[in-house]
Amino acid sequence: MEEYHRHCDEVGFNADEAHNIVKECIDGVLGGEDYNHNNINQWTASIVEQSLAHLVKLGKAYKYIVTCAVVQRSAYGFHTASSCFWDTTSDGTCTVRWENRTMNCIVNVFAIAIVL
Amino acid sequence: MMTSDLAQDRAAGSLRQRASGASLGGREFRQKGPRRRPKDSMSTVSHVDEPGQHEDASRLTVQMENTYQLGPTEPFPVVVVNHILEDVLTNYLQEEHYEPELCRQMTKTVSEVIKARVKDLLIPRYKLIVVCHIGQLTSQSVLIGSRCLWDPKSDTFSSYIFRNSSLFALANVYAVYCE
């Protein structure tokens, strides 16, 4: 069992896989919708919960942190940055940016390996 | 500012490695992996790989000695980190007016500074993730949420929101216990 998990950690975090998963979740929740202040809470919660559920289904020994920011599209400015202190061989991150006519959505996934 | 922080981090990192090697019997590695933005003007990055870190393949086969430790010896000091966030955001942003170039640089700087200060607390065995959002304060609406899948007994987070007349800033620090 130890060797099985070490194999997973050697491969590291698969950012492309996570990117696809999250993009599908966002498309499912926000696709075709316009910005609506009443629903925004529910949408953010759905995106985050569904992303987390799908990531867990990958069955890898990781702890996940999923952050979602949804902003209304207007003439404003918005910046995001992150800084991480971790083991770069096993841990990883992925950011998905999605937009439509009325809103922008930025989802960050951070995955930290569990060493068993 | 960023280069001097990096030098300090390297020094702190190597000191810590030596210290942990002497006190435990096995070697505990912790390598810093900051997200570095390339020199273009994009302020969003979907994935950053650090090729330098993967060359050290011998690290992957290190067998670590069992310490029989089940959880953290000291809990993560959320209140102290809240104060650090408040301090850093207020000092860096109190006088500032929102400008795209300034805030682009400021988000990166602030997240690096917060990470360095939390690292200085020397909480053992915790991995840190610092996320910083800065936005213009106009009449638009924004919602930022996050959810975490972790062990709630040992992992935690800290958060602070700063506002002045032209901008808002949100800083989150997630602390994950590393077995």
Side-chain angles (χ1 to χ4, degrees):
Chain A
M1 187 191 280
E2 199 185 307
E3 281 166 17
Y4 170 76
H5 286 291
R6 198 157 290 256
H7 171 69
C8 275
D9 279 350
E10 278 179 13
V11 170
F13 176 63
N14 190 341
D16 293 325
E17 202 176 13
H19 194 282
N20 292 336
I21 288 172
V22 172
K23 187 147 192 317
E24 274 173 31
C25 289
I26 306 177
D27 284 333
V29 175
L30 295 181
E33 301 274 0
D34 281 341
Y35 185 85
N36 186 340
H37 187 68
N38 299 328
N39 295 340
I40 198 70
N41 242 327
Q42 193 189 331
W43 286 339
T44 329
S46 301
I47 291 172
V48 171
E49 276 164 27
Q50 281 178 30
S51 304
L52 213 43
H54 283 101
L55 286 166
V56 165
K57 280 188 197 154
L58 295 175
K60 298 202 178 153
Y62 276 106
K63 292 181 179 176
Y64 294 103
I65 295 169
V66 180
T67 311
C68 173
V70 179
V71 292
Q72 196 177 8
R73 276 190 93 157
S74 56
Y76 70 93
F78 185 71
H79 299 271
T80 305
S82 73
S83 181
C84 308
F85 177 65
W86 58 26
D87 181 349
T88 50
T89 52
S90 56
D91 306 331
T93 178
C94 164
T95 306
V96 178
R97 217 174 51 136
W98 185 95
E99 61 185 24
N100 73 2
R101 211 175 38 91
T102 49
M103 51 190 170
N104 274 325
C105 176
I106 299 170
V107 177
N108 274 318
V109 176
F110 300 97
I112 293 128
I114 299 173
V115 180
L116 294 165
Chain B
M1 186 186 285
M2 239 183 261
T3 42
S4 65
D5 276 354
L6 178 57
Q8 257 177 334
D9 277 331
R10 284 219 182 102
S14 59
L15 268 174
R16 203 169 296 129
Q17 278 175 22
R18 266 181 257 136
S20 60
S23 60
L24 300 170
R27 293 202 61 192
E28 226 176 22
F29 266 101
R30 185 169 289 183
Q31 203 158 349
K32 185 168 98 85
R35 283 181 64 189
R36 295 239 167 268
R37 296 275 157 68
K39 290 194 171 80
D40 60 14
S41 60
M42 289 289 287
S43 55
T44 54
V45 177
S46 59
H47 179 69
V48 173
D49 205 356
E50 302 258 339
Q53 317 290 6
H54 291 287
E55 282 159 15
D56 198 2
S58 60
R59 285 192 60 233
L60 299 167
T61 56
V62 169
Q63 295 282 338
M64 288 201 250
E65 204 176 280
N66 200 338
T67 60
Y68 299 99
Q69 189 173 328
L70 294 174
T73 47
E74 51 174 289
F76 191 77
V78 178
V79 179
V80 175
V81 175
N82 274 336
H83 288 311
I84 290 178
L85 292 178
E86 186 181 339
D87 209 25
V88 173
L89 287 178
T90 316
N91 287 340
Y92 276 79
L93 298 173
Q94 187 71 58
E95 310 292 329
E96 303 295 341
H97 189 79
Y98 180 84
E99 269 154 47
E101 276 312 314
L102 172 74
C103 288
R104 176 174 298 152
Q105 201 48 50
M106 196 57 85
T107 32
K108 301 177 210 170
T109 309
V110 166
S111 59
E112 292 282 336
V113 168
I114 292 173
K115 186 183 70 176
R117 285 189 58 173
V118 177
K119 274 170 71 180
D120 285 341
L121 299 176
L122 292 180
I123 319 291
R125 292 179 168 219
Y126 269 95
K127 292 183 177 177
L128 304 171
I129 295 163
V130 180
V131 186
C132 177
H133 307 264
I134 297 183
Q136 194 176 7
L137 205 61
T138 60
S139 54
Q140 93 283 353
S141 173
V142 57
L143 185 78
I144 301 171
S146 71
R147 198 150 299 201
C148 312
L149 184 76
W150 58 24
D151 180 357
K153 285 187 293 234
S154 52
D155 303 330
T156 184
F157 75 98
S158 180
S159 184
Y160 185 75
I161 301 174
F162 169 82
R163 275 186 210 98
N164 73 9
S165 54
S166 63
L167 56 78
F168 70 90
L170 165 70
N172 282 328
V173 177
Y174 302 94
V176 181
Y177 179 68
C178 172
E179 175 62 38

